[in-house]
Amino acid sequence: MIITSIRLKNFRQFAGVQEIDLEANGDNTKNVIVIFGENGRGKTGIFRALMFCLYGIKRLSQDADITDDALYLVNTAALEANKDTPVECYVELKFEHEGSHYSVKRSLTGLFDGSATFEEEGEKSGLVTLPDGNSKIITAENLDTVIRSILDPRVKDYFLFDGEKIERLTRASIEQKHEVSAGIRNLLNIDSLQNSITALKKLGNEINNDLQNSSNEKLVQVFQKLRKNEEDFAKLEENETRITDEMIQSSSQLAEIDRDLDKISGIRSLLEERKLLEKDRSRLEDDITELLSNLKGHIPKVSNLLMKNVLQGTFQTIEQKKKKGEIPSIIRKELIQQILESNTCICGNEVCEGSVSYNAISEWLAKATDKEEEDELLDVWSHLGSVIRNFEENSENINSVLIEYGKNKSMLREINSSLDEVGEKIGDKDRQDAFDLEEIRKRIIKDQVALQYKLDEINGQKEEKKAENERLQNQLKDEKAKSDLNDEITQRSILVRETLNALNDVYSTFTEEIKDKLGKSATELFNRLIDREGKRVLSKIIVNQDYSLEILDKFGKTFLANISAGQRQIMSISFISALAQAASNGNQINIPLFMDTPFGRLSYDHRKNLINEIPNLSSQWILLATDTEFRREEARILQRSERWGKFFLLQPTEDGATQIVEKDINAAITLLQERSEENLK
């Protein structure tokens, strides 16, 4: 899919009729379009127009904090200039796809009555010109179906890279897990499988209700336990989803509060200090979690160290017996007993009770041990020898981990104390609104801690339910093997259960394959985009079992907490690109790739790599940039690549709207030089 033009009328910041002609004179190699403007000029509005025209949606993923009644598409200036009069708004999109040319138009009507704004959906229409030159109208009833066949709406968000989405994926947080999980679920695209699983669950519940009449009492009991366990697991998942949504919502509230606090003069340095402290706290919490995980592996060694004296004493006792020849016995106990009972030595001589020989042999008997006991003692001696030899090394390793853990806990307490002090300073300012906001912020953070505790508790309970489910499934197999299954209801119930298990296994396997594929694709692109230092240290991107993103160093150890802000952005861009590739079902992204301010924290080398690589990855790259990101250096790299096709400048008009102006690329570079020099003054 390649967009050739976008025509707007009274859409968002764009008053009147304006058009962006993206066609690069038939040269598909020049697939990079730069739309340049200050923040608030309408860069994201271009992508919003695309989404509205294709799907009729108003809301983008970054609109989570905006209510529906505050989200309008019709240009405000046009509404106010035509009070009490309907204002037409539309987006017309032209694009190529698989040799056919499409024209799609969707409209709105807006009205401002002086106190409120009203919007109503208008007509939608489409036209396709086939490769053979014939054209046909796409009816309004069929338009949505045609669009969905070209670009599935479930994956539409992966073709817009915005700064907020990139930032979310750089943090090991619940938002990151939610974003990754949603992306993977959308990519699976297995509606029929999910529908089958849902239908089978419903059928299974109906059959289980009839099982009360089955003659297989033990099977019925197992089925009932399984059903109860699965119902409990489903409730835990519902609670997990609810708490996750609450945490994401509270994170959005925190972000909004931080934005409001940032507007209050006199506290910006304190806010910056808090951001740095919170970043350090997050890193320390990750380190502490990893140290605790290491400590779990040392638990057997710790128990050995606690019993050091006992173990050494036992080892020495057995060692003495070995030195004395008591173990292994020179003569087996059974043989000695036989000699004494028969009063005959193995040489044939008589051994009389009370004689010197008899007494000597009796002493042997007192020292002799059973073969089984000897073998066990020798095994214990061998094992204790290995344990004792490692006492010193284990002690050093455990002490090292404990010292590091204690040091990190101490540092964490200091950071929390510093955060409390900074929070008090922010709240103690003369501004009452700063105090109120800070109090709300503290309450939200406290609530988040409680919610995280609940999540951890739920995860533990889910693991218990999984183990119980596995135990009951095995019990079901055993009971099934014992039963002759002459009961039709039982047979049907077992068949449904086995089919459901098979489908769940298919779903799980497919999910893991998608995770693995995304990790490999993201790693491949990451290695092309990262700078030399990053290549030296970092190894690969992985998607964990819990859908969190992680990056490993060259030694295979987790490293996300230690990478730079620029490396984090490159990691995020690589993963989102991998999602887009997977959604395109190929190595190239066959949908236009919008990037909204992606260069924020990137070094020059990272920007250069991004500019050189993305045009080869995507059929069309539409870069939405500001003057702080796209400067003369980036423009020259892009010009040398010979992939730069068009440049559009978003200029403010006198009435506050935005005018789209196309500029020649050479003139654009001159403009960027001038703007860059102005910024340096």
Side-chain angles (χ1 to χ4, degrees):
M1 178 181 182
I2 297 176
I3 300 173
T4 55
S5 74
I6 304 174
R7 181 189 292 268
L8 311 168
K9 181 177 182 181
N10 294 327
F11 187 88
R12 297 285 284 184
Q13 293 96 324
F14 306 101
V17 178
Q18 302 191 53
E19 185 170 358
I20 307 176
D21 181 8
L22 303 178
E23 200 164 16
N25 300 320
D27 187 353
N28 289 334
T29 63
K30 294 187 179 297
N31 63 338
V32 182
I33 312 297
V34 178
I35 298 178
F36 184 88
E38 301 170 348
N39 287 328
R41 280 293 113 216
K43 297 187 303 298
T44 308
I46 303 293
F47 183 77
R48 191 184 296 276
L50 176 69
M51 292 295 100
F52 169 72
C53 187
L54 291 175
Y55 304 110
I57 61 173
K58 292 184 177 183
R59 185 175 293 279
L60 301 181
S61 59
Q62 63 261 51
D63 296 330
D65 299 332
I66 304 175
T67 59
D68 289 336
D69 57 358
L71 190 60
Y72 299 115
L73 299 186
V74 182
N75 181 260
T76 303
L79 288 170
E80 292 177 350
N82 297 275
K83 181 182 172 184
D84 293 327
T85 303
V87 173
E88 183 187 27
C89 165
Y90 67 73
V91 178
E92 185 176 3
L93 178 70
K94 293 183 179 180
F95 61 91
E96 298 177 17
H97 180 66
E98 296 182 349
S100 296
H101 294 257
Y102 293 82
S103 176
V104 178
K105 183 177 179 181
R106 196 181 296 261
S107 63
L108 275 175
T109 300
L111 179 70
F112 178 64
D113 65 2
S115 60
T117 298
F118 304 92
E119 290 185 347
E120 185 178 293
E121 290 188 21
E123 296 180 352
K124 56 184 180 182
S125 60
L127 180 72
V128 56
T129 301
L130 302 173
D132 60 9
N134 291 320
S135 298
K136 63 177 183 179
I137 293 173
I138 305 173
T139 64
E141 292 77 15
N142 293 330
L143 183 61
D144 292 339
T145 302
V146 171
I147 296 300
R148 282 197 298 270
S149 69
I150 296 171
L151 177 58
D152 193 315
R154 288 176 297 190
V155 297
K156 64 184 182 304
D157 289 335
Y158 309 130
F159 302 102
L160 170 66
F161 290 58
D162 63 88
E164 187 176 339
K165 181 185 294 183
I166 292 172
E167 179 62 22
R168 280 198 301 272
L169 287 174
T170 65
R171 299 190 300 267
S173 64
I174 195 162
E175 289 91 346
Q176 182 203 66
K177 295 175 187 178
H178 186 268
E179 187 90 40
V180 174
S181 173
I184 289 174
R185 284 199 306 272
N186 286 334
L187 281 178
L188 291 175
N189 196 16
I190 46 177
D191 293 341
S192 56
L193 178 59
Q194 290 173 320
N195 291 338
S196 298
I197 290 173
T198 301
L200 275 172
K201 284 181 178 178
K202 184 177 179 181
L203 177 61
N205 288 336
E206 292 174 357
I207 293 176
N208 285 339
N209 290 331
D210 296 334
L211 269 176
Q212 306 300 328
N213 302 319
S214 172
S215 58
N216 295 286
E217 293 182 6
K218 289 186 177 180
L219 275 172
V220 170
Q221 290 174 0
V222 177
F223 275 125
Q224 288 173 340
K225 289 178 181 178
L226 264 171
R227 181 181 181 183
K228 177 67 168 58
N229 192 68
E230 289 166 353
E231 287 174 352
D232 291 344
F233 188 85
K235 288 177 183 176
L236 287 172
E237 287 195 316
E238 288 176 9
N239 288 336
E240 183 181 35
T241 301
R242 177 181 55 78
I243 293 172
T244 299
D245 290 341
E246 286 182 33
M247 290 193 72
I248 292 172
Q249 186 177 2
S250 66
S251 294
S252 298
Q253 289 174 331
L254 274 181
E256 188 175 352
I257 287 171
D258 285 342
R259 286 192 293 269
D260 290 339
L261 283 169
D262 196 41
K263 297 173 185 175
I264 301 173
S265 60
I267 62 173
R268 287 184 181 171
S269 61
L270 292 172
L271 293 173
E272 187 61 33
E273 183 181 354
R274 178 161 66 189
K275 283 181 183 178
L276 293 173
L277 286 169
E278 287 179 339
K279 182 179 179 181
D280 289 341
R281 180 173 65 181
S282 177
R283 178 182 57 78
L284 275 172
E285 287 173 342
D286 289 341
D287 290 346
I288 288 170
T289 300
E290 188 171 347
L291 286 169
L292 283 173
S293 177
N294 289 340
L295 279 174
K296 287 180 182 178
H298 286 301
I299 287 175
K301 300 172 185 175
V302 172
S303 61
N304 287 339
L305 287 173
L306 291 173
M307 299 177 63
K308 181 177 179 181
N309 293 335
V310 175
L311 295 176
Q312 285 180 329
T314 304
F315 177 81
Q316 289 168 2
T317 299
I318 301 174
E319 180 76 7
Q320 289 298 319
K321 283 182 174 290
K322 282 182 89 284
K323 287 180 178 178
K324 291 178 181 179
E326 294 177 11
I327 54 170
S329 301
I330 298 171
I331 302 176
R332 289 297 179 190
K333 186 176 181 178
E334 293 84 355
L335 177 59
I336 299 172
Q337 287 174 330
Q338 184 181 348
I339 290 172
L340 293 175
E341 289 171 0
S342 64
N343 297 118
T344 305
C345 182
I346 57 174
C347 61
N349 294 327
E350 187 178 359
V351 180
C352 297
E353 188 172 349
S355 67
V356 175
S357 299
Y358 188 93
N359 292 336
I361 294 172
S362 295
E363 287 181 11
W364 272 357
L365 180 61
K367 295 178 181 178
T369 56
D370 293 328
K371 182 180 183 303
E372 292 79 7
E373 186 179 343
E374 282 185 359
D375 291 343
E376 289 174 0
L377 282 171
L378 288 172
D379 286 342
V380 170
W381 173 80
S382 176
H383 177 69
L384 288 178
S386 174
V387 170
I388 290 168
R389 282 193 297 273
N390 292 323
F391 269 160
E392 186 174 348
E393 181 183 348
N394 289 340
S395 179
E396 288 178 0
N397 290 339
I398 292 167
N399 282 334
S400 174
V401 174
L402 287 172
I403 289 170
E404 187 69 18
Y405 177 79
K407 185 174 70 175
N408 284 354
K409 287 291 284 186
S410 177
M411 291 170 62
L412 186 61
R413 282 193 295 269
E414 291 177 7
I415 287 176
N416 284 329
S417 177
S418 298
L419 280 167
D420 289 340
E421 291 176 9
V422 171
E424 288 173 5
K425 289 178 183 178
I426 292 171
D428 284 345
K429 288 295 172 183
D430 294 336
R431 293 283 298 269
Q432 180 63 36
D433 48 358
F435 176 81
D436 293 340
L437 288 170
E438 190 60 27
E439 288 300 307
I440 295 171
R441 193 180 194 277
K442 288 179 182 177
R443 188 170 67 249
I444 291 174
I445 290 176
K446 184 179 178 181
D447 291 343
Q448 281 190 328
V449 172
L451 289 171
Q452 184 60 57
Y453 176 80
K454 288 181 182 178
L455 270 185
D456 293 340
E457 195 175 48
I458 286 172
N459 285 328
Q461 291 172 345
K462 283 176 64 179
E463 290 303 315
E464 291 175 4
K465 294 296 178 185
K466 285 179 182 177
E468 176 67 4
N469 186 274
E470 186 175 348
R471 186 188 70 79
L472 289 170
Q473 292 284 5
N474 290 331
Q475 189 177 345
L476 182 66
K477 289 180 183 177
D478 293 340
E479 292 299 333
K480 177 186 173 185
K482 296 175 186 176
S483 173
D484 57 7
L485 293 182
N486 56 7
D487 186 331
E488 182 183 351
I489 296 175
T490 306
Q491 291 180 29
R492 288 169 59 196
S493 186
I494 287 177
L495 179 60
V496 168
R497 165 101 19 215
E498 290 177 345
T499 306
L500 185 58
N501 289 342
L503 291 180
N504 281 322
D505 286 343
V506 170
Y507 184 90
S508 298
T509 301
F510 194 21
T511 302
E512 291 307 311
E513 287 177 357
I514 287 288
K515 285 183 183 178
D516 186 57
K517 179 180 178 181
L518 288 173
K520 289 178 180 176
S521 297
T523 298
E524 184 180 337
L525 182 58
F526 179 81
N527 288 329
R528 300 208 305 264
L529 296 179
I530 198 68
D531 58 15
R532 186 177 302 173
E533 175 62 19
K535 288 179 181 176
R536 187 182 67 80
V537 177
L538 303 172
S539 171
K540 65 178 181 178
I541 297 169
I542 60 171
V543 184
N544 289 321
Q545 190 69 28
D546 64 353
Y547 292 99
S548 62
L549 282 186
E550 186 54 83
I551 192 161
L552 305 183
D553 64 12
K554 293 295 183 181
F555 303 101
K557 295 191 174 181
T558 57
F559 209 73
L560 181 60
N562 304 307
I563 63 177
S564 69
Q567 290 169 338
R568 285 171 178 267
Q569 282 202 303
I570 291 296
M571 184 192 82
S572 294
I573 289 172
S574 300
F575 181 74
I576 301 173
S577 296
L579 281 172
Q581 274 184 316
S584 296
N585 297 316
N587 292 324
Q588 189 181 48
I589 300 171
N590 56 23
I591 305 294
L593 199 60
F594 284 74
M595 283 197 183
D596 192 353
T597 58
F599 296 152
R601 300 179 183 178
L602 299 184
S603 65
Y604 175 74
D605 284 343
H606 284 149
R607 295 182 185 208
K608 180 177 69 175
N609 292 343
L610 201 62
I611 290 169
N612 286 329
E613 289 293 339
I614 296 300
N616 300 319
L617 183 71
S618 173
S619 63
Q620 192 175 36
W621 185 24
I622 300 175
L623 180 59
L624 310 172
T626 65
D627 56 359
T628 59
E629 291 196 313
F630 191 73
R631 299 169 295 186
R632 58 179 178 269
E633 293 90 346
E634 290 81 21
R636 285 173 176 165
I637 296 170
L638 187 55
Q639 187 180 37
R640 285 196 295 270
S641 74
E642 298 185 351
R643 306 298 292 271
W644 192 359
K646 294 280 184 117
F647 179 87
F648 296 92
L649 180 65
L650 304 183
Q651 290 182 330
T653 61
E654 292 182 0
D655 59 0
T658 296
Q659 185 70 31
I660 304 170
V661 179
E662 183 175 356
K663 295 281 187 180
D664 178 79
I665 289 173
N666 292 322
I669 292 178
T670 303
L671 173 70
L672 290 169
Q673 287 175 338
E674 291 170 353
R675 291 178 68 88
S676 184
E677 289 168 1
E678 288 173 6
N679 290 335
L680 292 173
K681 292 179 182 178

